[in-house]
Amino acid sequence: MSNLLEYKGYYGSVEFSATDNILFGSVLGVSSLISYEGDSVFALKEDFEGAIDDYLEMCLDNGVDPEKVYRGNFNVRVSPELHKKLALYSAVHGQSLNSTVEEAIRRYVTVREKE
């Protein structure tokens, strides 16, 4: 995956502001707003890592568990018709609805990563 930073299991976006002539981003997959910026790739990475370290230290100081970036569950809303098709497909193939959805997403992502 390009245009992502990774540090200690946390991922961050990389964006560019032509107006301000800076790189900036925010940590993905957590509800807390953790942002960073820099005027070079090196400075951006350094600020990103510092932001993660500060977040983890703040959690430790406050006795709070840091958010896990990806817990492995999320809610998806689909049309009732698609829900029915997925449930019937799952039943016919002897698998749970979760297994069917996970398989479909895995196949979709695998194809997209090759593009």
Side-chain angles (χ1 to χ4, degrees):
M1 296 181 158
S2 62
N3 297 330
L4 287 179
L5 299 173
E6 190 275 329
Y7 180 66
K8 295 187 177 179
Y10 290 86
Y11 294 86
S13 63
V14 176
E15 300 183 52
F16 173 69
S17 169
T19 304
D20 300 321
N21 202 31
I22 62 163
L23 297 164
F24 67 96
S26 61
V27 175
L28 306 171
V30 295
S31 60
S32 302
L33 176 59
I34 306 171
S35 60
Y36 44 88
E37 66 180 52
D39 58 5
S40 69
V41 172
F42 178 80
L44 182 73
K45 286 181 180 180
E46 192 172 67
D47 202 41
F48 167 68
E49 292 175 4
I52 296 297
D53 288 339
D54 289 347
Y55 169 70
L56 294 173
E57 185 177 324
M58 180 192 70
C59 289
L60 184 64
D61 290 347
N62 292 318
V64 175
D65 289 333
E67 285 186 64
K68 293 183 179 177
V69 182
Y70 297 102
R71 299 181 313 265
N73 61 40
F74 58 96
N75 294 321
V76 177
R77 290 183 178 82
V78 297
S79 70
E81 184 63 25
L82 181 57
H83 189 174
K84 178 179 84 175
K85 286 180 180 181
L86 283 166
L88 293 173
Y89 179 91
S90 298
V92 167
H93 291 86
Q95 59 190 114
S96 70
L97 184 59
N98 277 341
S99 295
T100 302
V101 171
E102 183 176 357
E103 179 183 330
I105 292 170
R106 184 179 294 109
R107 287 181 181 186
Y108 178 84
V109 170
T110 299
V111 167
R112 293 298 204 181
E113 286 177 336
K114 293 177 182 176
E115 292 178 347

